[in-house]
Amino acid sequence: MSRCKDAPDGFECPFRHNCPHLDTMSTTWVMEVYHDAQKLRDQVDALERRVEELEQALLERDAKIAQLRLEHQKHFKPNVKPVPIKVTARRRGAPVGHPGWRRREPDHIDNVITLPAPDVCPHCECTDLGPCAELHEHVQEDIVLVPRTRVTKYVHHQCICPRCRRAVYRTGEGELRGCDIGPVTRAVATHLRYDLQIPYRKVQYILKNLFGMPLVPATAMNFDRKATALGRPLFEELRIMLQSSDVAYADETTWREDGQGTYLWFGGNEQIAVYQIADRSGASAVKLLGEDYGGTLVTDDYSSYNAVGAKDRQTCWNHIRTKAKEVVRQIELTDPPIVAPRSIEFCQTLRRFAVEMCALGRKQRSGKLSLAKAKAMIPALKKRLKRFGSEPLEHEAAETLRKRVMVKDWDKLFTFLRVKGVEPTNNLSERSVRFLVIMRKICFGTRSAAGSESHGVLPSLLQTAHRQGTDVIKFLVTLLTQPAAAAKAALFSGKS
């Protein structure tokens, strides 16, 4: 006989308040207790989930504290919160009531150069020039690299241009038209600023006390602006040369423009150097290196370089070695102590492996390891890496490093062993941005877009001149006094 699924309408169990199957307990009371127990069970489950979340938060907090302790030890910064200083903004320029500054007249003339009248008008290239009895005199003061200045007076014979209806004259050798300060002074000031990282006020002090050439800091800054304008076409050519090079090293560091955070980028190799100040995006990397870079790009682990689309990539083994050392130190600084033996063993083994890769790079540079032998070593090295890096790790930071090496950067680890001229580290970029890091500590960044452009163009030209074996002062004088083609020839006139 089948049982009914539902009770008939109006049915009431006679044992509702005294059920024999429940040890004579009331079914209504049992259901109430059951529902209360279900609610309590849900509350217990929620509290257990909350405890798990708090335990995970504590673990993350301990890891973060260990990381902060590591950063504190690495940078030697005091663990004191700085007191904010309220600075009252004022308008730019000299204070109100500050007396104007005018160049003093030279008290001697060392050399007088007399130039004949020009044959062609320098403004419109007219050749039908008429005579002019008036002489144009131009006194220019410049530096001789002894503790005195040399003042040159240019006496120009002039002609009248019928098309321009003005008197015209030709420019003498080493003469900057309309400028009281000559090109050598300007070149030395730019050299002191961007090669030696000397502030403008100390540049003023050196020029005044060493060479007897008085000027104000704003004048030295104006020298850099004029040199930037003249060197901008050559800077763009350097960028194109970088984008077509076989090997490029790239790195970036923080910079501040008018108090706002931005980044200083470097791209270059042993022959050229290109700097730019821009945001830290893939578009900035593409602007520096091009969208489809056809050579081998050596960088750290920053993801914006993926937008470049380089043909080959080499990740920096020195960064991997440093990161492995930091992870071990972070585990040791965690309080309360944690047990992560496999993570420590992996990081220590990876660190020794990275040191070995750097040693292979030195052997390649010295000629002790040929390219053919280096290529033959790659399968065995990959096998060794898989042997100790295949298993997941219990520590989060160590596991992140393991995934980076075994998955993310797997095809970028041994490019230096199969491509000639590629280094296993990004040390060239680190050294290249070092002098601008020092300048950042001195000047605290730039105040305007024009200043940021100068900090991109001039360091690019000067560092390229150093790598080409070119005399920097002579190159700057050529840049200020000669056409762009002559400046390019002077830049690449060194041994490289």
Side-chain angles (χ1 to χ4, degrees):
M1 181 177 179
S2 62
R3 301 177 62 182
C4 296
K5 294 183 179 180
D6 298 320
D9 294 338
F11 175 79
E12 182 176 351
C13 179
F15 304 104
R16 178 180 179 184
H17 301 291
N18 189 11
C19 180
H21 300 287
L22 297 175
D23 295 334
T24 68
M25 291 187 296
S26 171
T27 56
T28 303
W29 177 81
V30 169
M31 291 303 298
E32 290 177 354
V33 172
Y34 172 78
H35 288 302
D36 292 341
Q38 187 67 32
K39 292 179 181 179
L40 291 175
R41 189 177 297 109
D42 294 339
Q43 293 178 4
V44 169
D45 293 339
L47 290 174
E48 288 178 350
R49 289 193 299 269
R50 180 57 179 166
V51 168
E52 292 178 357
E53 293 175 357
L54 291 176
E55 289 178 349
Q56 182 64 28
L58 287 175
L59 292 176
E60 294 176 357
R61 185 206 64 178
D62 294 339
K64 184 64 176 178
I65 291 174
Q67 183 180 0
L68 292 175
R69 287 175 179 168
L70 180 64
E71 292 294 327
H72 170 74
Q73 293 182 0
K74 186 167 62 174
H75 297 289
F76 300 100
K77 294 182 178 179
N79 192 16
V80 178
K81 185 176 181 180
V83 179
I85 302 175
K86 186 176 180 181
V87 179
T88 304
R90 67 172 182 87
R91 71 176 186 86
R92 294 181 179 180
V96 178
H98 183 77
W101 191 86
R102 183 178 179 85
R103 281 200 59 81
R104 50 114 171 102
E105 294 292 334
D107 56 356
H108 64 281
I109 301 293
D110 295 294
N111 193 16
V112 177
I113 299 178
T114 302
L115 302 173
D119 299 324
V120 180
C121 176
H123 305 289
C124 63
E125 299 183 357
C126 175
T127 58
D128 187 17
L129 303 180
C132 177
E134 183 182 358
L135 296 178
H136 176 81
E137 294 185 354
H138 174 211
V139 177
Q140 176 177 284
E141 189 175 7
D142 204 349
I143 283 180
V144 181
L145 294 181
V146 293
R148 63 181 297 269
T149 60
R150 179 177 62 187
V151 181
T152 302
K153 180 178 182 180
Y154 295 89
V155 180
H156 299 269
H157 291 277
Q158 302 183 100
C159 293
I160 300 296
C161 177
R163 188 181 302 173
C164 297
R165 296 183 179 181
R166 69 171 81 176
V168 294
Y169 59 93
R170 67 176 63 188
T171 304
E173 183 179 357
E175 179 185 10
L176 299 178
R177 297 169 71 99
C179 298
D180 296 329
I181 300 178
V184 177
T185 304
R186 296 165 178 259
V188 170
T190 303
H191 166 69
L192 293 174
R193 174 66 173 172
Y194 287 97
D195 264 349
L196 305 181
Q197 298 84 52
I198 296 178
Y200 285 124
R201 293 191 180 277
K202 291 189 177 181
V203 171
Q204 172 198 25
Y205 181 87
I206 291 173
L207 293 177
K208 177 182 177 182
N209 292 275
L210 182 60
F211 301 106
M213 176 64 75
L215 48 79
V216 294
T219 302
M221 183 183 68
N222 187 54
F223 294 164
D224 296 341
R225 298 293 187 269
K226 294 290 183 63
T228 299
L230 294 172
R232 191 179 297 115
L234 190 53
F235 169 76
E236 295 299 333
E237 289 193 36
L238 289 179
R239 193 201 302 270
I240 295 173
M241 292 172 63
L242 173 64
Q243 295 175 0
S244 60
S245 61
D246 294 331
V247 180
Y249 299 82
D251 198 10
E252 74 290 330
T253 186
T254 57
W255 193 264
R256 296 185 73 82
E257 179 183 308
D258 200 18
Q260 302 299 317
T262 183
Y263 283 84
L264 171 73
W265 293 74
F266 165 79
N269 48 43
E270 294 181 352
Q271 286 76 40
I272 59 176
V274 180
Y275 298 86
Q276 70 177 18
I277 294 178
D279 58 5
R280 203 184 187 197
S281 63
S284 299
V286 170
K287 181 180 178 182
L288 179 66
L289 298 162
E291 190 171 359
D292 295 312
Y293 180 67
T296 302
L297 180 61
V298 183
T299 65
D300 53 16
D301 193 41
Y302 186 47
S303 60
S304 287
Y305 295 109
N306 296 332
V308 175
K311 178 182 177 182
D312 281 321
R313 293 283 298 276
Q314 171 65 51
T315 193
C316 179
W317 274 105
N318 197 38
H319 280 76
I320 295 176
R321 179 189 64 82
T322 304
K323 186 62 179 178
K325 178 181 177 181
E326 290 179 356
V327 171
V328 173
R329 186 61 179 158
Q330 180 178 343
I331 295 174
E332 294 174 350
L333 291 175
T334 304
D335 187 22
I338 59 175
V339 179
R342 290 192 295 112
S343 297
I344 294 177
E345 182 182 0
F346 167 78
C347 291
Q348 292 176 345
T349 307
L350 180 62
R351 183 183 175 187
R352 291 192 295 269
F353 191 86
V355 171
E356 184 179 344
M357 295 302 101
C358 296
L360 289 177
R362 289 192 295 271
K363 286 184 178 180
Q364 282 185 307
R365 287 197 304 271
S366 62
K368 296 179 180 179
L369 180 64
S370 65
L371 188 62
K373 291 183 179 179
K375 287 182 181 179
M377 296 174 63
I378 295 178
L381 292 174
K382 288 185 175 181
K383 188 174 181 180
R384 282 179 53 193
L385 198 56
K386 289 181 179 179
R387 190 179 302 124
F388 69 86
S390 299
E391 297 296 330
L393 303 174
E394 67 271 33
H395 190 265
E396 183 180 359
E399 175 64 12
T400 302
L401 178 60
R402 188 194 70 84
K403 288 182 179 179
R404 171 189 169 184
V405 174
M406 304 303 298
V407 180
K408 183 180 177 182
D409 290 346
W410 179 254
D411 58 342
K412 309 172 188 175
L413 297 176
F414 305 105
T415 307
F416 75 100
L417 293 175
R418 58 181 176 83
V419 179
K420 186 177 180 180
V422 178
E423 294 288 333
T425 69
N426 200 24
N427 191 32
L428 188 143
S429 295
E430 300 286 343
R431 298 196 314 268
S432 298
V433 300
R434 179 59 183 165
F435 78 101
L436 284 175
V437 171
I438 296 174
M439 178 174 282
R440 180 186 65 196
K441 295 179 179 180
I442 295 173
C443 66
F444 302 103
T446 49
R447 291 288 301 273
S448 63
S452 296
E453 184 184 16
S454 294
H455 279 71
V457 173
L458 295 180
S460 300
L461 299 180
L462 297 182
Q463 290 299 311
T464 300
H466 284 301
R467 298 180 186 200
Q468 293 292 326
T470 302
D471 186 282
V472 173
I473 301 296
K474 291 182 179 179
F475 162 70
L476 288 173
V477 171
T478 305
L479 177 67
L480 296 172
T481 59
Q482 300 295 325
K488 181 179 179 181
L491 179 61
F492 295 101
S493 63
K495 60 184 178 181
S496 298

